[in-house]
Every structure is written in structure tokens, then in C-alpha cells.
Amino acid sequence: MSHHPSPILDELRAMAVFATVVRSGSFAAGARALGLTRAVVSHHIRVLETKLGVPLAQRSTRSFSLTPAGEAFRVHCERLLDEAHDGIRGMELLRAEPRGEVRITCSHHFGNKRILPALLEFRRRYPAIRLHVAMNDANVDLVQQGIELAVRAGPLADSDLVARRLVREPTLLCAAPAYLRRYRAPATVAELDQHRWVIYPPSLRSVTVRENGHAVDVPVQGDLVTDSAASRLAFVLAGEGIARLPAYDAAAPLASGELVRVLPEVETAPLEIFLVHGRRIGPSARLLRDFLLEDAGENEAAV
């Protein structure tokens, strides 16, 4: 029985050649970087163009320029090449005790609850890697601050960054019994807009709930606006209003009776937390990224 190589291997090789040519600025420079002849490089590009059915580059004897299709495809090819290079560097690092430095940022509240325990375990596993942990509720500029990893609530707007979902946490509408004694508990979704809310983040204008399969946007209003998830929880516990809380905040107060679910029959959107980084990160940051993703997956499976 004969075995033929999978066409995908040729396509992956051609994608790596294309990415190298783009970064080198010409077919000749790309060929020199790869240790190939210009004819071989041209062949790989033609393989891609035939497979895709579109031209990727306009060629001349001295230079080339990308077509719109080539510009769009370049992103995928460069990502493939970067991942391959970073994977090799990561394995080289693992041959010896991993060492290096990683800068990571996360919010105070979620960081203390979920990220710091994982970082302590990471330190036990990789004691020679130095961690710089910036606790910050604001979305800082990763490049400007020299930060390799950030833990952020999604969705992600910046297309130059890569986001991997870390947590998908259920959320609940909650209030303290003291609040519900002062302001009659809402019996329907329509009554929610008559209530006081603890508003977090400050940009929050409405909360989407699902009732009987239908999505309803509920406007939020209140006298307390905060940029801190920890403060939101404290204000709700003090009876200052209703809030949509992640389950990791609500579970213990609900069990103790400090909080009560509001309209338990309605659903609210889950809180999604992402691990965000640039297109290229160092081997130590890759180790930490993969560790946090693995840890988050194990925690979700255990729930």
C-alpha cells in the first residue's frame, strides 16, 4: 500500500515561503533568506496562487507588490511562520530550566480571585522565570507599557492583538435583601428599569436579559458608578442597588443569604475573560500563556 504526502504539507511550505518573501521585500531576498533558488521560490508562490485561484503578487524583475488578496493572505502566512519559530524557540527553552521574564497585567478583582493563584503555581513550576504583575482595572496599551500578556474582559477591538478565551463565567442579577425591602423586588423584566443599579463599568448603559427566549435590553440607572468590580460587589452587598454579577462573585453571598437572585428565571449574558497578547511573544510568555489557558480549562472542567 503506497502512501502519498498530504497536499497540506506542500501548502504549508508554500505559505512559509510566501511570508518570508513578503518580509524580505523581494523574491531574490526571500530566496537568499531561505537558501533556495529564485525559481523554487516562484514555484511555491505559483502553487499557492493556483490553489487559491487568485494572484497574490505583482512581479517585476526588481520588485514586487501584493495584490489585495495577497495582503489579506499575508496575515495568515506570517502568523503561521511566527508560530513555528516561537514553537521551536519554546522547545529550545524547555531543554534547560526555563528562565526569562514576563510582564502580565490583570484587574485587581478578577486577578486576585483567579489569576494570582495560577501565577503562584506557575512560579512553583518555573522558579527561574521572573514575573512582573501589574494589577490595573484599566485597559493599558500593551506595546507602550512593554506588557506581553493581559487579562481582559472581551470583546477585543484591536485587530493587532491575539485574544484567547480564558473564562466564560455565568452571570446573575443580584441584590441585597435590604435593598429589596426598601424597593419592591421586580416581578417582571419590564420593572427592572424602575430600579437603582450599581453601574460597572462606567460605560455601562444597558443590560441584556433573555426572557422566554427573547432578548431584552434593560436601561440601567443609578447613583453609584464605579470602575472597580470589587467596589461593585461591596456596593451591592451594602444594599445600594441591583447588579449583574459573575457567578464567582455571587456564589458565596447567595449561599449565605447576603444576596438574593433577582428574576432568577431570566438569563443574562456570560462574562467572557480573554488572555490577550501581541502577534509575537517570547518563549517565557508563551509558557505562561499556555499554563494559564490549561489552568482555566481544568477549572472549568471541574465545575
Side-chain angles (χ1 to χ4, degrees):
M1 182 176 179
S2 62
H3 295 279
H4 299 286
S6 169
I8 192 64
L9 296 179
D10 291 333
E11 291 159 12
L12 290 173
R13 186 180 297 108
M15 288 173 72
V17 169
F18 180 61
T20 303
V21 167
V22 170
R23 287 183 171 171
S24 300
S26 71
F27 276 66
R32 286 194 299 271
L34 293 165
L36 302 173
T37 66
R38 181 169 172 166
V40 170
V41 167
S42 296
H43 167 74
H44 283 300
I45 306 302
R46 285 196 299 272
V47 166
L48 280 179
E49 292 176 325
T50 301
K51 174 68 177 179
L52 298 172
V54 292
L56 297 175
Q58 301 290 343
R59 302 162 178 81
S60 71
T61 55
R62 295 188 177 182
S63 65
F64 82 105
S65 60
L66 296 179
T67 65
E71 186 63 41
F73 193 57
R74 169 191 67 82
V75 176
H76 302 287
C77 295
E78 290 188 335
R79 189 179 307 159
L80 173 75
L81 191 63
D82 289 342
E83 288 290 330
H85 287 159
D86 289 344
I88 291 171
R89 281 197 295 270
M91 291 303 101
E92 290 172 347
L93 180 66
L94 286 173
R95 286 206 300 259
E97 182 183 21
R99 59 183 62 250
E101 182 175 292
V102 185
R103 293 179 179 269
I104 181 171
T105 182
C106 55
S107 70
H108 288 87
H109 192 59
F110 182 79
N112 282 321
K113 284 182 173 289
R114 292 290 184 89
I115 301 301
L116 292 191
L119 293 181
L120 291 173
E121 180 59 34
F122 180 82
R123 284 281 301 150
R124 285 190 281 270
R125 186 178 299 186
Y126 304 110
I129 293 181
R130 188 180 186 191
L131 296 180
H132 288 255
V133 184
M135 306 293 278
N136 195 324
D137 288 340
N139 282 345
V140 300
D141 186 310
L142 271 63
V143 175
Q144 188 177 34
Q145 299 293 326
I147 293 172
E148 292 182 281
L149 298 174
V151 179
R152 291 181 177 173
L156 185 66
D158 190 340
S159 61
D160 289 333
L161 299 175
V162 177
R164 302 281 293 276
R165 195 174 73 192
L166 199 62
V167 172
R168 191 172 191 269
E169 185 80 8
T171 63
L172 315 167
L173 295 181
C174 298
Y179 172 84
L180 297 175
R181 284 194 296 268
R182 289 201 312 272
Y183 305 95
R184 185 172 58 87
T188 65
V189 169
E191 293 180 9
L192 280 174
D193 62 4
Q194 303 168 17
H195 278 264
R196 302 157 67 96
W197 291 75
V198 176
I199 298 174
Y200 168 86
S203 60
L204 184 69
R205 297 291 178 266
S206 65
V207 170
T208 302
V209 302
R210 294 191 68 84
E211 185 180 37
N212 300 322
H214 299 289
V216 180
D217 286 331
V218 178
V220 299
Q221 55 187 348
D223 299 326
L224 278 171
V225 181
T226 178
D227 63 356
S228 162
S231 297
R232 173 188 57 184
L233 178 60
F235 287 138
V236 175
L237 287 168
E240 291 290 344
I242 296 173
R244 179 176 74 104
L245 297 178
Y248 61 74
D249 271 347
L254 286 173
S256 68
E258 294 176 275
L259 289 181
V260 176
R261 283 194 68 178
V262 174
L263 297 176
E265 70 278 6
V266 306
E267 297 179 11
T268 50
L271 173 67
E272 294 194 316
I273 304 290
F274 292 88
L275 190 58
V276 180
H277 57 81
R279 297 285 177 192
R280 302 193 69 179
I281 57 176
S284 297
R286 287 177 62 86
L287 275 178
L288 179 55
R289 180 199 66 182
D290 295 344
F291 180 88
L292 291 174
L293 290 169
E294 179 184 352
D295 180 75
E298 290 175 355
N299 286 336
E300 283 196 356
V303 173

